[in-house]
Amino acid sequence: SPPASRERWLRRVTFDLTGLPPSQAELDAFLADDSRGAFERVVDRLLDSPRFGERMAVPWLDLARYADSFGYQADVDSRTWPYRDWVIEALNRNLPFDRFLTEQLAGDLLPDATRRQKLATAFNRLHRMTNEGGSIAEEFRQEGVADRVHTLGTAFLGLTMECARCHDHKYDPISMEDYYSMASFFNSIDEFGMIMGGSGRGEILPQPTLLLPTPEQERELDRHREAAEAAERNLQDYISGADKAFTEWLAGEPGFAEADLVARIDFEKGDDGRIVNSINPEQVVKLAGNKLGAGRTGSALVADGDSLTRLPDYGLKHADQPFSISLWLKPGEPYPRAVIFSNTSSFDHPFSGYELLLKEGHLHWNLARELPGCGASVSTAGTLPVGQWTHITVTNDGSRRAAGLRIYLNGEEADTVVQSDNLTRDYRVGKGLTLGARGRDFGIKDGVIDEVVVHRRAITPLEARALHEGRTPTLATAARLELSDYFFSAIDPRGRELRDQLAVARAAYRDVENGVPEIVTMRETEEPRPTFILERGDYKSPGRPVKRRTPDWLPPFPEGEPLNRLGFARWLTRPDHPLTARVTINRVWQEIFGRGLVATADNFGLQGAQPTHPDLLDWLARDFVDHGWDLKRSIKQMVLSSTYRQDSRADEALRERDPDNELLARGPARRLTAEMLRDSALAHGGLLVEEVGGPPVYPYQAPGSMWKALNNFLPEYKQDKGDGLYRRSLYTFWRRTTTPPNMMVLDATTREACTVQRQSTNTP
């Protein structure tokens, strides 16, 4: 075809590079510029525009299955928009594509990884997740791992990897072993597999996560962290140097005092028939389905395994608040898992708060935002006898570290094993302490609890032994070290004052931290999680184990690279890798010309389309790699080519011979995407607000709440006012189960899975 008119070329290239129409001023300036290089200057201007990153981010967000909620039943908010902004910024600064890919697959594993590089790994966590009661965590964890494999297969290899999840691929050389060996690279993060139930709309995100403080929050966190560390040093320095105060106390015939005691419940009914907290008789204990039976002395709580006997929270709402809980326990059976007590906000796995569990005889003392990704947890090395009374005391010193957790059995500190030590953020407790069970969990059926005692302090070994013995200790016979611990913790005014100062400093840090947003990311476990071939893809049918490796029919794994996601990303971007650059360039060509050189952009396998111009695809891919994976350079080549600048009009004979323009005998003509149609209308109307990035917005929606009508678990749609109504469409809140209506009607994808080729809309 002859060249398109200058007006049509400018309109075409402006939409293709910015997603918006040219302004009248831009059109006038271009038509008036008949000098050499006028076309190139337009392209350079468009590539340098912040609109470029916004335009190219949209197909990438389709590929990355980006949404602002997790999907499934409750469709909980995911708060992942910082990742969307990372993509826009990376595209605008023309981050080399090999780095663009590497940071998203493995930014957390780069040497001295920055927060931005770790943020990029949210790419791997944008799959759907559920918090529906009755769901099985391991099943959905495996679904997440599988989604990562399917996405990398589609996005970077152009292969239908999902076909090999249940059996060897029927057409391409992908075996089940290839599939699960690649899955093993993405199987080793501390994730539970589900979203926390009962935690509000995404208030607690599934671990692991990354905190994203603003610069001001960063400064405040540093200031309060230093203050807390200084307060901790002051306390330790004082204790180390205050031997005189301790000696004087010893010489004065010291007595024993129960400091910071807030509850003592012996389950004996008073004259009025009530069971009360003897420290505060206004606090009444309601058995709520559990019964009273024979206790160690008198009556005790006999648990039915389902009913919750609820106590107050005693003001213990945060992980940095020291406290202790003591009780007598007689297990009714060797429970695989049973809740002794808890104060957690959620009623389904995973749980946030604190809990004491009995698992196959071992006590597990847990503080958790969400286990395993964010918690401090220890368990006893030994087991408890069934059918016998054991006195248990558990303490938390407020440090949010596993080293600050203690378990005492019959007055003696027990040997413990650290299960988790990464409580990087405060937990969220429920309405109070519950005994014997927890909603939708296993309780201590036929177990008996007696003499519950709560302190708002981490009590000392001397006090733990006194609670076990049931009598005031004789201080004259106690060991000096135990007496010292007790004195500075419970008696000494200056020691207690310094502890209060430490508590205030920790609370100040926590208050700032609680306002810091976070995002789901990747964080590798210390040891790789075992990966198995799942028979027929069933999480319940693990077969033989597999090791991390890449398919042997592709280039070998690079020598000297770590056998992890970082090494995998560098394998993908090897200069001689036959797929990554070709698949990427083909997708770019599709964005510019409307159809890829391989029409099936998601399938370069035997069932995919043959390339119409294989030599051209090879040359473009090789040139892309040889010039540093420079995306803007490759796009510039395409839009300045005579092929792109052709007129899109053609006579009837040519259209009949080549309806899809496979021969590239005319210029590209394609329908605008949903985002381009809406943004074009806003731009032509003078309404478009050109602010880059930020939280999602809620523009006009048809009357009535589409969200609520489609899913009663969703909140009402609250429409924005002012600028939020007129932002670019990629900033619209994208609810995964209900695609924004003004995008849905124009055939945008649902983003439930990786999509590299949108359906062309007929709606306009």
Side-chain angles (χ1 to χ4, degrees):
S1 295
S5 69
R6 288 170 68 99
E7 296 97 323
R8 284 200 294 276
W9 178 84
L10 182 66
R11 175 178 169 80
R12 178 190 299 165
V13 76
T14 305
F15 267 114
D16 282 344
L17 298 192
T18 70
L20 293 168
S23 67
Q24 188 64 48
E26 290 168 342
L27 178 60
D28 292 342
F30 178 57
L31 293 179
D33 185 1
D34 57 3
S35 63
R36 185 183 181 91
F39 287 84
E40 185 174 5
R41 281 192 290 276
V42 167
V43 172
D44 287 340
R45 171 177 59 80
L46 296 175
L47 291 174
D48 288 341
S49 167
R51 294 171 165 182
F52 170 80
E54 294 177 317
R55 152 71 178 101
M56 290 300 171
V58 172
W60 187 263
L61 296 179
D62 284 352
L63 174 154
R65 67 271 192 249
Y66 170 85
D68 293 300
S69 63
F70 284 111
Y72 287 115
Q73 177 204 33
D75 204 6
V76 171
D77 298 356
S78 58
R79 304 205 304 271
T80 45
W81 61 266
Y83 167 79
R84 176 247 290 153
D85 287 0
W86 180 91
V87 171
I88 296 170
E89 187 266 340
L91 291 169
N92 274 332
R93 66 183 170 99
N94 201 25
L95 182 68
F97 189 81
D98 58 338
R99 287 180 53 196
F100 182 71
L101 182 156
T102 298
E103 291 188 13
Q104 291 182 79
L105 290 184
D108 58 310
L109 299 177
L110 289 167
D112 301 317
T114 65
R115 183 178 285 126
R116 299 289 293 172
Q117 289 170 329
K118 294 175 183 177
L119 160 63
T121 65
F123 172 85
N124 299 285
R125 304 285 310 285
L126 296 175
H127 49 80
R128 296 184 298 161
M129 296 186 72
T130 187
N131 67 346
E132 184 176 0
S135 298
I136 299 170
E138 180 60 15
E139 178 182 8
F140 282 92
R141 194 189 70 79
Q142 290 287 358
E143 287 296 320
V145 174
D147 188 273
R148 292 166 204 154
V149 177
H150 304 167
T151 297
L152 75 89
T154 301
F156 307 127
L157 300 175
L159 294 173
T160 52
M161 293 291 299
E162 56 267 40
C163 295
R165 185 179 183 183
C166 303
H167 51 73
D168 291 348
H169 202 293
K170 293 184 181 299
Y171 303 104
D172 299 330
I174 310 170
S175 66
M176 285 185 74
E177 183 163 349
D178 289 335
Y179 179 95
Y180 287 101
S181 295
M182 292 175 68
S184 66
F185 286 95
F186 298 87
N187 186 37
S188 291
I189 64 171
D190 277 330
E191 60 182 331
F192 182 72
M194 291 169 55
I195 308 167
M196 187 168 298
S199 62
R201 298 216 58 81
E203 293 173 26
I204 297 181
L205 295 176
Q207 300 296 317
T209 63
L210 175 71
L211 294 181
L212 298 173
T214 64
E216 181 180 356
Q217 286 174 326
E218 188 101 68
R219 289 190 293 271
E220 285 291 289
L221 287 172
D222 288 343
R223 183 168 67 86
H224 289 300
R225 183 187 298 109
E226 291 170 2
E229 290 171 353
E232 195 166 2
R233 285 194 304 272
N234 289 342
L235 175 61
Q236 296 305 321
D237 291 346
Y238 170 74
I239 293 173
S240 299
D243 189 64
K244 181 180 178 182
F246 173 56
T247 302
E248 290 176 351
W249 175 73
L250 281 180
E253 297 183 1
F256 183 77
E258 290 192 302
D260 307 298
L261 178 63
V262 293
R264 185 186 295 276
I265 300 165
D266 58 12
F267 297 102
E268 304 299 330
K269 288 186 177 181
D271 294 339
D272 56 3
R274 300 188 309 165
I275 302 170
V276 300
N277 171 10
S278 62
I279 306 303
N280 181 355
E282 296 298 317
Q283 295 175 344
V284 179
V285 178
K286 296 182 180 179
L287 298 177
N290 292 319
K291 307 293 184 183
L292 291 179
R296 185 174 166 275
T297 58
S299 299
L301 177 75
V302 181
D304 64 11
D306 293 316
S307 302
L308 282 65
T309 295
R310 190 177 297 278
L311 308 178
D313 61 30
Y314 302 112
L316 304 171
K317 299 177 182 294
H318 305 286
D320 55 47
Q321 292 177 302
F323 68 97
S324 308
I325 298 176
S326 304
L327 53 83
W328 283 93
L329 174 70
K330 184 167 72 172
E333 59 184 75
Y335 311 103
R337 171 193 172 91
V339 178
I340 299 170
F341 68 74
S342 71
N343 189 356
T344 53
S345 58
S346 47
F347 46 82
D348 286 317
H349 284 64
F351 301 103
S352 181
Y354 60 86
E355 61 186 7
L356 181 65
L357 310 180
L358 188 57
K359 297 167 70 173
E360 297 180 339
H362 300 274
L363 289 172
H364 287 250
W365 175 217
N366 305 328
L367 312 183
R369 185 172 180 85
E370 181 200 276
L371 285 175
C374 187
S377 173
V378 297
S379 64
T380 54
T383 60
L384 266 62
V386 174
Q388 297 181 31
W389 286 104
T390 301
H391 189 264
I392 301 167
T393 295
V394 292
T395 69
N396 165 35
D397 71 358
S399 65
R400 301 201 314 198
R401 296 189 290 263
L405 303 180
R406 297 281 186 275
I407 301 177
Y408 298 88
L409 299 179
N410 294 327
E412 299 298 328
E413 185 171 350
D415 292 333
T416 56
V417 178
V418 174
Q419 300 291 339
S420 180
D421 195 12
N422 54 2
L423 185 56
T424 56
R425 196 162 187 183
D426 195 20
Y427 51 48
R428 184 180 178 209
V429 297
K431 297 179 180 179
L433 181 65
T434 59
L435 303 177
R438 174 170 46 202
R440 296 185 181 175
D441 203 347
F442 300 99
I444 52 167
K445 181 176 173 57
D446 298 326
V448 189
I449 294 174
D450 203 357
E451 297 178 24
V452 176
V453 178
V454 182
H455 289 81
R456 273 204 291 251
R457 176 172 55 85
I459 64 173
T460 62
L462 180 71
E463 295 167 281
R465 188 163 61 253
L467 286 169
H468 165 248
E469 294 174 352
R471 59 185 176 82
T472 301
T474 304
L475 300 186
T477 60
R480 184 178 179 87
L481 180 59
E482 284 190 345
L483 288 169
S484 174
D485 288 345
Y486 169 69
F487 169 72
F488 289 113
S489 175
I491 302 298
D492 180 46
R494 180 57 178 161
R496 290 174 61 79
E497 179 185 3
L498 290 172
R499 288 184 193 278
D500 289 343
Q501 292 176 8
L502 174 57
V504 169
R506 285 173 171 171
Y509 178 88
R510 175 229 308 155
D511 289 344
V512 176
E513 184 185 56
N514 284 346
V516 175
E518 60 185 335
I519 188 170
V520 290
T521 51
M522 298 290 276
R523 185 177 65 238
E524 203 77 356
T525 55
E526 292 185 10
E527 296 294 331
R529 189 195 298 260
T531 303
F532 303 88
I533 293 177
L534 302 181
E535 303 298 336
R536 300 181 65 84
D538 184 0
Y539 77 98
K540 294 181 293 185
S541 304
R544 60 187 175 84
V546 294
K547 295 182 178 180
R548 292 177 176 178
R549 69 167 183 82
T550 50
D552 56 12
W553 42 272
L554 286 170
F557 200 83
E559 289 187 14
E561 292 293 348
L563 200 62
N564 57 19
R565 282 180 286 113
L566 180 58
F568 185 89
R570 288 171 176 165
W571 170 76
L572 278 175
T573 53
R574 281 181 58 139
D576 61 344
H577 199 292
L579 289 172
T580 310
R582 285 178 176 83
V583 169
T584 302
I585 283 296
N586 185 69
R587 208 162 48 239
V588 174
W589 186 278
Q590 175 181 271
E591 286 302 314
I592 301 302
F593 287 90
R595 183 182 190 278
L597 294 169
V598 176
T600 52
D602 60 344
N603 190 355
F604 274 47
L606 289 175
Q607 292 297 103
Q610 293 295 305
T612 56
H613 300 72
D615 291 343
L616 174 59
L617 179 60
D618 287 352
W619 185 87
L620 286 169
R622 183 76 266 145
D623 185 72
F624 180 45
V625 174
D626 289 346
H627 288 85
W629 300 80
D630 188 331
L631 192 62
K632 286 189 177 182
R633 181 182 179 278
S634 293
I635 292 173
K636 183 175 179 179
Q637 282 180 318
M638 294 179 192
V639 298
L640 287 177
S641 67
S642 57
T643 303
Y644 179 82
R645 287 171 58 181
Q646 294 177 105
D647 198 307
S648 61
R649 293 174 294 187
D651 58 34
E652 187 174 340
L654 179 56
R655 287 192 178 276
E656 184 174 341
R657 176 188 176 194
D658 185 19
D660 295 325
N661 196 26
E662 292 183 19
L663 302 177
L664 303 175
R666 59 185 183 273
R670 65 192 186 96
R671 298 182 179 125
L672 300 181
T673 64
E675 289 85 355
M676 290 180 187
L677 285 162
R678 177 177 177 271
D679 296 349
S680 175
L682 290 174
H684 282 306
L687 296 170
L688 185 65
V689 175
E690 296 199 55
E691 176 187 347
V692 178
V697 295
Y698 301 81
Y700 290 105
Q701 197 176 98
S705 176
M706 174 173 281
W707 287 1
K708 205 73 174 173
L710 291 174
N711 186 340
N712 196 51
F713 286 95
L714 300 181
E716 295 285 348
Y717 184 85
K718 294 183 180 180
Q719 183 175 294
D720 269 333
K721 298 178 180 179
D723 289 354
L725 300 173
Y726 310 113
R727 297 284 306 281
R728 288 197 70 166
S729 299
L730 87 159
Y731 298 119
T732 297
F733 187 95
W734 198 289
R735 186 161 293 292
R736 205 184 296 262
T737 57
T738 53
T739 303
N742 53 12
M743 298 290 99
M744 185 189 302
V745 76
L746 302 177
D747 293 308
T749 180
T750 64
R751 292 190 177 160
E752 292 188 319
C754 173
T755 304
V756 295
Q757 202 168 18
R758 275 197 190 181
Q759 173 183 324
S760 182
T761 182
N762 290 318
T763 304

